[in-house]
């Protein structure tokens, strides 16, 4: 089945559905780790900074599960961008709500599981649920351009003779040496009686011929395999050089460089609320009776709303998605700086809702990246950005926890978080306002039609 350009529908909606459930199952528990954080504090009896490493590594980098989550997130975003063009913002908004819905459901589910089965039993059940990601992955079919068939793997039988290590000149030299040695043997054999000499000569000739054929066959196979290994090594080295060259080219793009800094700072400052908000309420002496709903669940609900609305806004042509993303960063930085002033459940709930809504900018982040580097470089660029985003997620909560251990209050910690997000927003704003606006320059509105795409068979 063939489509002009990106399908913008069809099997793409199945991709959206399975990507939604993939992010739901993959990120629901790590994002709702704030529920487990309270349990870990009581179980380990360590400081908040050290204990925060457990939750941050679960959602960032450093653990096997985190590596899997990173690969899954990049895969779902990349394949969705391939299937959608004019509706890309909506599609990305829909799939990214999977993690937010997961946060909302897993926050309540993990509390229930801990009460029923304990911390260890809760983690085992959550891990078992995550195995359903395998079923989701089986329905993802990548797109291939019809005009660009996939290259066939090189077989040893297809190696041309001209690449043989033993060329004709060397072969002739070996034959001359062999003839000379045979000549010397004939001279020696002439001293023997004629009958014995004939039998021995015939036997020697047969053995020599068989040995020569075996040697030539062996040498040819060795030559072919050696050439194949050399070509494979050269190809891999060339791919590595191309990757490094493309990476350098990406970082020459001012907007991409600013985006790289902004996402790193955003995850350092923006991730701690989802992990520490419950403990912030407990440290502010908010009573249990006042909790109408867990603050983490409020963040999850509003993140879902934010992802959908921001994703829909990104599809409007009159809205610059880069400036929209910058606006979310700056506003979120101000909201984080306001958290220390919240001393009641109501104010903490309002700020949690604001932070949650603005965290929904994850739905437009792939959109901004695509507009900056182009769809053909999206997987490469997004992989780099996600690695450093995960690094920021890993560093943020421990830093905030250490600030608390040092000052016995979260005030300075959240001022630091707000400053990081604000700094990232202003750096990206300066790059966007630069005279040579790479984002708009990189991808002018494409002319319709050109490439044909085909859904790859999963057989």
């Amino acid at each position: 089945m063939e489509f002009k350009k990106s399908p913008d529908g069809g099997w793409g909606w199945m991709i959206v559905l399975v990507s939604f459930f993939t992010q739901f199952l993959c990120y629901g528990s790590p994002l709702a780790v704030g529920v487990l954080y309270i349990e870990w504090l009581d179980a380990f009896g360590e400081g908040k900074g050290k204990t925060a490493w457990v939750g941050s590594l679960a959602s960032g980098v450093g653990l096997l599960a985190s590596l899997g989550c990173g690969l899954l997130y990049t895969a779902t975003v990349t394949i969705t961008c391939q299937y959608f063009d004019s509706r890309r913002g909506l599609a990305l908004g829909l799939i990214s709500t999977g993690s937010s819905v997961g946060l909302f459901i897993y926050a309540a589910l993990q509390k229930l599981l801990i009460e029923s089965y304990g911390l260890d039993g809760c983690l085992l059940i959550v891990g078992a649920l995550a195995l359903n990601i395998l079923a989701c992955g089986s329905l993802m079919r990548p797109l291939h351009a019809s005009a660009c068939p996939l290259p066939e793997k090189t077989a040893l039988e297809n190696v041309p003779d001209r690449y043989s290590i033993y060329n004709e000149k060397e072969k002739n030299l070996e034959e001359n040496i062999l003839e000379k040695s045979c000549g010397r043997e004939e001279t020696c054999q002439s001293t023997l009686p004629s009958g014995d000499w004939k039998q021995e000569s015939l036997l020697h000739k047969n053995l020599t011929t068989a040995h020569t054929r075996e040697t030539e066959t062996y040498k040819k196979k060795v030559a072919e395999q050696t050439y194949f290994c050399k070509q494979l090594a050269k190809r891999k080295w060339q791919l590595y050089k191309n990757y490094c060259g493309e990476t350098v080219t990406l970082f020459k793009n001012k907007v991409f460089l600013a985006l790289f800094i902004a996402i790193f700072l955003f995850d350092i400052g923006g991730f701690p609320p989802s992990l520490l908000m419950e403990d912030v309420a407990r440290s502010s002496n908010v009573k249990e009776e006042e909790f109408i709903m867990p603050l983490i669940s409020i963040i999850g609900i509003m993140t879902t709303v934010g992802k959908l609305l921001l994703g829909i806004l990104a599809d409007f042509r009159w809205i610059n998605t880069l400036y929209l993303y910058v606006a979310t960063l700056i506003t979120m930085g101000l909201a984080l700086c306001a958290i220390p002033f919240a001393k009641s459940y109501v104010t903490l709930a309002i700020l949690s809702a604001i932070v949650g809504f603005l965290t929904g900018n994850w739905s437009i982040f792939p959109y901004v990246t695509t507009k900056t580097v182009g769809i053909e470089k999206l997987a490469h660029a997004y992989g780099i950005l996600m690695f450093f985003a995960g690094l920021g997620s890993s560093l943020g909560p421990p830093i905030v926890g250490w600030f608390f251990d040092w000052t016995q209050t979260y005030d300075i910690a959240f001022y630091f978080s707000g400053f990081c997000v604000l700094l990232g927003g202003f750096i990206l704003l300066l790059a966007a306002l630069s005279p040579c606006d790479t984002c708009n320059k990189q991808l002018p509105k494409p002319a319709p039609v050109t490439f044909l795409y085909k859904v790859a068979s999963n057989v």
Side-chain angles (χ1 to χ4, degrees):
M1 188 165 53
E2 294 188 346
F3 301 94
K4 278 189 178 179
K5 294 181 60 185
S6 298
D8 265 325
W11 190 258
W13 293 117
M14 179 58 72
I15 296 294
V16 168
L17 181 64
V18 296
S19 296
F20 171 89
F21 280 109
T22 298
Q23 294 203 19
F24 174 88
L25 295 166
C26 179
Y27 282 98
S29 178
L31 290 177
V33 78
V35 174
L36 304 175
Y37 178 69
I38 303 293
E39 298 295 324
W40 287 328
L41 280 173
D42 297 334
F44 300 135
E46 296 288 348
K48 296 181 189 293
K50 189 180 288 188
T51 307
W53 273 111
V54 182
S56 64
L57 287 175
S59 301
V61 293
L63 296 176
L64 185 61
S66 308
L67 176 62
C69 287
L71 293 172
L72 286 169
Y73 183 79
T74 304
T76 54
V77 167
T78 304
I79 196 170
T80 303
C81 285
Q82 287 180 353
Y83 268 88
F84 289 89
D85 185 12
S86 62
R87 298 176 180 174
R88 186 174 293 158
L90 174 62
L92 289 170
L94 288 171
I95 70 164
S96 60
T97 56
S99 58
S100 307
V101 174
L103 167 58
F104 173 69
I105 292 177
Y106 271 89
L109 177 64
Q110 288 179 160
K111 271 190 173 182
L112 182 63
L113 291 174
I114 289 170
E115 291 172 3
S116 303
Y117 304 103
L119 183 59
D120 293 343
C122 168
L123 294 174
L124 284 172
I125 293 171
V126 168
L129 289 173
L131 289 173
N132 290 286
I133 295 171
L134 293 172
C136 297
S138 66
L139 294 172
M140 293 186 182
R141 301 176 184 175
L143 287 173
H144 297 306
S146 299
C148 306
L150 292 174
E152 293 182 0
K153 291 185 178 179
T154 308
L156 289 176
E157 298 78 19
N158 298 332
V159 177
D161 293 336
R162 66 175 180 277
Y163 292 119
S164 176
I165 294 174
Y166 300 94
N167 55 31
E168 291 299 323
K169 188 176 180 181
E170 290 172 341
K171 199 179 286 185
N172 292 336
L173 183 62
E174 288 177 358
E175 288 174 357
N176 291 336
I177 293 171
L178 188 62
E179 285 175 5
K180 286 180 182 179
S181 64
C182 288
R184 283 197 294 271
E185 287 177 4
E186 285 175 4
T187 306
C188 294
Q189 295 293 343
S190 62
T191 58
L192 296 173
S194 60
D196 295 341
W197 178 82
K198 284 180 181 179
Q199 288 179 356
E200 221 169 290
S201 175
L202 184 62
L203 180 62
H204 178 74
K205 187 176 180 182
N206 291 338
L207 289 172
T208 303
T209 305
H211 178 70
T212 304
R213 285 177 181 171
E214 286 178 5
T215 304
E216 286 180 356
T217 304
Y218 174 75
K219 286 180 178 179
K220 186 177 180 183
K221 286 183 178 179
V222 170
E224 289 174 350
Q225 292 175 1
T226 304
Y227 166 76
F228 179 75
C229 292
K230 283 183 176 180
Q231 290 301 108
L232 186 62
K234 284 180 183 177
R235 184 181 176 189
K236 297 298 180 185
W237 175 248
Q238 190 60 44
L239 288 173
Y240 174 74
K241 284 172 66 179
N242 291 344
Y243 179 85
C244 292
E246 288 175 7
T247 303
V248 172
T249 305
L250 284 173
F251 279 100
K252 287 181 180 178
N253 183 327
K254 291 181 180 179
V255 176
F256 177 80
L257 180 60
L259 203 59
F260 164 79
I261 297 170
I263 192 63
F264 179 67
L265 292 173
F266 170 73
D267 274 85
I268 287 180
F271 180 67
S274 63
L275 176 63
L276 304 171
M277 213 59 180
E278 298 292 327
D279 194 49
V280 170
R282 189 165 73 170
S283 302
S284 300
N285 298 318
V286 177
K287 297 178 182 179
E288 288 284 340
E289 307 84 60
E290 297 180 29
F291 275 74
I292 302 170
M293 183 185 294
L295 296 175
I296 293 180
S297 295
I298 294 174
I299 292 174
I301 293 170
M302 292 309 296
T303 303
T304 304
V305 176
K307 285 178 176 177
L308 280 173
L309 289 181
L310 292 172
I312 292 170
L313 286 174
D315 283 332
F316 289 105
R317 295 190 178 184
W318 50 271
I319 290 181
N320 187 309
T321 49
L322 182 58
Y323 292 145
L324 179 62
Y325 185 72
V326 168
T328 62
L329 292 180
I330 294 174
T331 311
M332 184 171 180
L334 295 173
L336 289 171
C337 290
I339 288 177
F341 297 100
K343 300 299 179 184
S344 67
Y345 174 78
V346 175
T347 51
L348 282 172
I350 292 171
L351 287 172
S352 296
I354 294 171
V355 169
F357 179 84
L358 296 170
T359 305
N361 63 7
W362 275 108
S363 67
I364 60 172
F365 184 71
Y367 202 104
V368 172
T369 308
T370 305
K371 290 293 182 182
T372 305
V373 302
I375 188 68
E376 68 283 350
K377 294 181 181 178
L378 175 62
H380 183 182
Y382 207 71
I384 295 171
L385 293 172
M386 285 302 98
F387 173 79
F388 284 95
L391 185 61
S393 297
S394 300
L395 295 175
I399 291 173
V400 171
W402 284 328
F403 273 122
F404 182 90
D405 292 338
W406 177 38
T407 62
Q408 293 303 305
T409 176
Y410 279 113
D411 292 0
I412 296 177
F414 277 95
Y415 291 144
F416 169 78
S417 295
F419 172 76
C420 285
V421 178
L422 280 170
L423 180 61
F426 282 118
I427 289 173
L428 188 55
L429 179 62
L430 289 174
L433 294 174
S434 174
C436 48
D437 189 346
T438 319
C439 183
N440 293 331
K441 189 177 174 184
Q442 179 78 21
L443 272 182
K445 285 292 177 185
V449 277
T450 27
F451 298 106
L452 291 173
Y453 290 101
K454 182 172 63 177
V455 178
S457 171
N458 56 355
V459 179

